[in-house]
Amino acid sequence: MPPDDPTSLKPTDPVPADVVPVVSIENLHVHYGAIHAVRGISIEIPPGEVYGFIGPNGAGKSTTIKVLATLIGHFTGTAKINGIDVARRPQEVREQIGYMPDFFGVYEDLNVREYLHFFAAAYRIPRKQRKTVIDDVLELTDLTHKIGDQVDSLSRGMKQRLALARVLLHDPQLLLLDEPASGLDPRARIEVRELLKALTEMGKTILISSHILHELAHLCTRIGIIETGEMVAQGSLQEIYRQLQLMRIVHVQLTGSDDGVVDQIRKIKGVADVEQHVDRLAIQLLEDHAAVEDLHEALVNLGVKIHMFQPEAMDMETAFMKLTEGKTA
């Protein structure tokens, strides 16, 4: 299972020249009549990466995903999946992707077995292989015990897992997941997150949009924040924090120090301010100037005795609120 720190999952360096990105979008523009929904965004996603797409409603997330899913044909710029042009060769692209929209659809008269057999046939999976393939995706999504249930009777969490089972039938390399945890209760969100982690361990490349920022922070290798159709920031969480000059608060308890030490701490590179509390110091650190480890080393060099050194965890909500103002395209 991947570690909690998303920056440690995979490198966030540019895609090497000899590696074809799974997703390549360059200067994408999409109009709905007079509405300019997507305004010149560019994204590259290498194999095996989990890319989180964040933005308020109407920001252009779903539109961008629909372009990659070959559901929007009128756009300018380029969009490619594994080097295949989405506009020119849509059928080849569809064989490479698994697209899960933010709604399930209506399948009142089908049970789970019939639902998956229907899509297996649509994916042109040979009849002799369908049962094995369906059994495999049901086991992966923990739905084997629901195979005879009517689709319409399933809970929303079960329907989301079934939708994931459906997009996995033809073993696509790229999963396009539009708000997969929307409307789920906390337990169901955790189950979906664990399933997505299992898929990354299988080598799947995932583009996922969500408003549940904390969930993406623990899942994604890189984040793209979009507002009014424009990419506001893009990179690993730490890179985004540095771009925004967000301050990390580090709580420190020192023993045997005097007031003069506080003035010395304020002069340490990267320290924006020091707040004195009854039981501790709260040091505001600009991480684009100095890392937490640098602060610790500087304190040691001052000759102080450190009883506690506790950095606060920075969260994606902070970055999101600083970057966006709730605008829509």
Side-chain angles (χ1 to χ4, degrees), residues 9 11 14-16 40 59 62-64 67-68 83 88 108 117 119 124 164 170 238 253 256 262 290 300:
L9 292 176
V15 182
S62 294
T63 297
T64 302
V67 167
L68 294 173
R88 297 179 180 178
E108 296 179 354
H117 271 280
F119 280 100
R124 299 196 299 276
L164 275 171
H170 61 304
Q238 293 302 322
Q253 287 180 344
V262 174
V300 171

Side-chain angles (χ1 to χ4, degrees), residues 11 44 51 57 97 109 147 162 169 188 209 213 217 219 230 237 244 271 274 292-293 295 306-307 310 313 319:
E44 271 200 355
Y51 188 97
N57 289 332
I97 65 172
D109 299 326
I147 191 167
L162 179 59
L169 284 168
S209 72
L213 310 182
L219 181 66
E230 297 179 340
L237 288 183
L244 296 174
V271 172
V274 181
V292 170
E293 296 79 9
L295 174 62
I306 302 172
H307 179 67
Q310 184 176 345

